[in-house]
Amino acid sequence: MPEDTFLSLQPALLGFFINAPRYAYDLSREFEHDLGRVWRLGRSLMYAQLKELAEQGYLAMDVVTQPNRPARKIYYLTDAGRIRFAQWLNQPTMHIRNIRVEFLVRLYFFRTLNLPGLQELVTKQKAVLGEMEDALEKNAGDIQDDYWRLVVDFRLGQIRAVQQWLELCLQTV
Amino acid sequence: MPEDTFLSLQPALLGFFINAPRYAYDLSREFEHDLGRVWRLGRSLMYAQLKELAEQGYLAMDVVTQPNRPARKIYYLTDAGRIRFAQWLNQPTMHIRNIRVEFLVRLYFFRTLNLPGLQELVTKQKAVLGEMEDALEKNAGDIQDDYWRLVVDFRLGQIRAVQQWLELCLQTV
DNA sequence: TATAACTATTCATATTGTGAATAATTATAT
DNA sequence: ATATAATTATTCACAATATGAATAGTTATA
């Protein structure tokens, strides 16, 4: 499947554990409220993702039993998880089609966790977009095919729109 | 998954059968060459898609045996298929994230099959984009949340870039 | 007081995508 | 001349991803 829809977003979930341990049910609600319009992730998926992140060693888990209620599986961040999150957060998105979700999710964490480094990330992201532009323009130079020319123009349009938005993004700090 | 990645593109394949019957292996090569950079569809998927389109009654099939070669399953368009394709082709894309693939594929067929109606489609598509814009701007008016404001601005940027590109698209007829 | 919604998780299933296997044939390389 | 690779044409098992129902007690709403 979409080689990068998921794999590249999974570490983002670690960000929700920076301040406190969480369990999936609870997190799923907050997630839906805060990011549901940006990144669609059903409740069942959340359970599966936390389980995987734990298998990878980024989260650890305690089972907390409660009277008259199902037991909670409380996950908390490991040191490896903290490092992984920071690494994910500060990495620019390499594929234009993922910016829509990935960058917006990164931005969410920069703002809600009040983290430094947004400016640097924006700079890196602009550089990556610039390279995409160059690559497209280069291979578009020697194009006879009108159709391919239009495809390239479409993509350039999207890229440039993102570049402009990134500026706006810095101003709204 | 993405409720509309696939379902909304499947009928597009019918367009390859407008001029002549085809079999999957052969079609897959042409597809890869013409649209591979716009719509990624592996060979195995092509087989599966043609089979489904046949089950839906949009394609019919003949098995043609050949000496010393695997038999070919040749598919051809039914009347229902012809109608379905025309309907798909002239319908604007309703979800912004699908325009990137859907509209570009429609454009491909308008051009390669030399079909009329591109202008009308562009008009419809612009109307749909205009509605998206209105909906976003409306619910953005009463926004306190700076983050959501940025999300909305990102989307507006994408939409406006597509609108500009659509103009270009008409000029390149 | 019946009906619905909430808490918390799991699981079976649906959907979608990938890569290998097949087996004969022709092209390329040493 | 001969081994190696690529081509033809399709199928299939499997991986990865997403959805909805099932569970079972509890509290809220009608």
Side-chain angles (χ1 to χ4, degrees), chain A residues 14-31:
Chain A
L14 298 170
F16 287 104
F17 297 84
I18 292 281
N19 288 327
R22 312 290 297 261
Y23 54 104
Y25 186 83
D26 158 54
L27 173 53
S28 188
R29 197 212 319 276
E30 183 180 331
F31 182 91

Side-chain angles (χ1 to χ4, degrees), chain A residues 12 14-16 18-19 34-35 85-93 101-125 165-166 169-170 172-173, chain B residues 145-147 150:
Chain A
L14 298 170
F16 287 104
I18 292 281
N19 288 327
D34 283 15
L35 284 176
F85 176 69
Q87 186 209 315
W88 174 83
L89 186 67
N90 294 291
Q91 207 163 32
T93 296
V101 179
E102 265 183 47
F103 196 91
L104 287 173
V105 172
R106 287 195 174 92
L107 184 59
Y108 168 80
F109 284 115
F110 273 112
R111 297 177 63 90
T112 50
L113 300 176
N114 238 309
L115 297 172
L118 178 57
Q119 179 124 33
E120 288 88 317
L121 178 62
V122 167
T123 305
K124 283 188 238 169
Q125 189 65 70
W165 176 81
L166 283 172
C169 210
L170 283 181
T172 320
V173 175
Chain B
D145 188 1
D146 275 351
Y147 178 67
L150 283 170

Side-chain angles (χ1 to χ4, degrees), chain A residues 25-167:
Chain A
Y25 186 83
D26 158 54
L27 173 53
S28 188
R29 197 212 319 276
E30 183 180 331
F31 182 91
E32 196 61 32
H33 177 263
D34 283 15
L35 284 176
R37 307 284 289 268
V38 169
W39 177 12
R40 190 126 301 271
L41 183 74
R43 209 196 287 289
S44 320
L45 250 313
M46 180 66 81
Y47 279 91
Q49 292 313 310
L50 298 192
K51 197 180 166 192
E52 271 185 43
L53 285 165
E55 276 159 18
Q56 289 161 23
Y58 298 137
L59 294 177
M61 188 201 63
D62 279 341
V63 177
V64 178
T65 56
Q66 332 170 72
N68 301 331
R69 285 255 169 267
R72 280 178 186 165
K73 292 193 171 177
I74 300 208
Y75 291 93
Y76 55 91
L77 210 52
T78 63
D79 289 343
R82 205 168 287 272
I83 290 166
R84 182 75 186 88
F85 176 69
Q87 186 209 315
W88 174 83
L89 186 67
N90 294 291
Q91 207 163 32
T93 296
M94 303 310 276
H95 300 283
I96 182 73
R97 67 182 162 289
N98 294 342
I99 288 193
R100 191 178 58 92
V101 179
E102 265 183 47
F103 196 91
L104 287 173
V105 172
R106 287 195 174 92
L107 184 59
Y108 168 80
F109 284 115
F110 273 112
R111 297 177 63 90
T112 50
L113 300 176
N114 238 309
L115 297 172
L118 178 57
Q119 179 124 33
E120 288 88 317
L121 178 62
V122 167
T123 305
K124 283 188 238 169
Q125 189 65 70
K126 280 202 284 194
V128 169
L129 290 169
E131 282 164 36
M132 290 179 190
E133 243 186 308
D134 292 348
L136 278 172
E137 267 161 352
K138 197 175 132 207
N139 104 358
D142 37 50
I143 284 182
Q144 275 74 30
D145 188 2
D146 276 352
Y147 178 66
W148 186 242
R149 176 75 246 173
L150 283 169
V151 171
V152 167
D153 285 334
F154 181 90
R155 291 182 184 169
L156 287 174
Q158 297 294 300
I159 291 171
R160 284 170 189 148
V162 175
Q163 280 169 329
Q164 281 172 38
W165 176 81
L166 283 172
E167 295 298 337

Side-chain angles (χ1 to χ4, degrees), chain B residues 46-60:
Chain B
M46 179 67 81
Y47 278 91
Q49 291 313 308
L50 298 191
K51 197 180 166 191
E52 272 185 42
L53 285 165
E55 277 160 17
Q56 290 161 22
Y58 299 137
L59 293 177

Side-chain angles (χ1 to χ4, degrees), chain B residues 105-146:
Chain B
V105 172
R106 288 197 173 92
L107 183 60
Y108 168 80
F109 284 115
F110 273 112
R111 298 176 64 90
T112 51
L113 299 176
N114 238 308
L115 297 172
L118 178 57
Q119 178 123 33
E120 287 87 319
L121 178 62
V122 168
T123 306
K124 282 188 239 168
Q125 189 66 69
K126 280 202 286 194
V128 169
L129 290 169
E131 283 163 36
M132 289 179 193
E133 243 185 308
D134 293 348
L136 278 172
E137 266 161 352
K138 197 175 132 206
N139 105 358
D142 37 49
I143 284 182
Q144 274 75 30
D145 188 1
D146 275 351

Side-chain angles (χ1 to χ4, degrees), chain B:
Chain B
M1 225 243 121
E3 101 250 26
D4 29 29
T5 15
F6 219 105
L7 290 170
S8 49
L9 270 166
Q10 199 179 40
L13 294 174
L14 298 170
F16 287 104
F17 296 85
I18 292 281
N19 289 327
R22 311 290 297 263
Y23 54 104
Y25 187 83
D26 158 53
L27 173 54
S28 188
R29 197 212 318 276
E30 183 180 331
F31 182 90
E32 196 60 34
H33 177 263
D34 283 15
L35 284 177
R37 306 283 290 268
V38 170
W39 177 13
R40 191 126 301 271
L41 183 73
R43 209 196 287 290
S44 322
L45 248 313
M46 179 67 81
Y47 278 91
Q49 291 313 308
L50 298 191
K51 197 180 166 191
E52 272 185 42
L53 285 165
E55 277 160 17
Q56 290 161 22
Y58 299 137
L59 293 177
M61 187 201 64
D62 279 340
V63 177
V64 179
T65 56
Q66 335 169 67
N68 300 331
R69 283 257 169 266
R72 280 179 186 163
K73 292 193 171 177
I74 300 208
Y75 290 93
Y76 53 91
L77 210 52
T78 63
D79 289 343
R82 206 168 285 274
I83 291 166
R84 182 74 185 90
F85 177 68
Q87 187 208 314
W88 174 83
L89 186 67
N90 294 290
Q91 208 163 32
T93 295
M94 303 310 278
H95 300 284
I96 183 71
R97 68 181 163 289
N98 294 341
I99 287 192
R100 190 177 60 90
V101 178
E102 264 183 47
F103 196 91
L104 288 173
V105 172
R106 288 197 173 92
L107 183 60
Y108 168 80
F109 284 115
F110 273 112
R111 298 176 64 90
T112 51
L113 299 176
N114 238 308
L115 297 172
L118 178 57
Q119 178 123 33
E120 287 87 319
L121 178 62
V122 168
T123 306
K124 282 188 239 168
Q125 189 66 69
K126 280 202 286 194
V128 169
L129 290 169
E131 283 163 36
M132 289 179 193
E133 243 185 308
D134 293 348
L136 278 172
E137 266 161 352
K138 197 175 132 206
N139 105 358
D142 37 49
I143 284 182
Q144 274 75 30
D145 188 1
D146 275 351
Y147 178 67
W148 186 242
R149 176 76 247 174
L150 283 170
V151 172
V152 167
D153 284 333
F154 181 90
R155 292 181 182 168
L156 287 174
Q158 297 295 299
I159 290 171
R160 284 169 188 150
V162 174
Q163 280 169 329
Q164 281 173 39
W165 176 82
L166 283 172
E167 295 298 337
L168 187 77
C169 211
L170 284 181
Q171 284 154 35
T172 320
V173 177

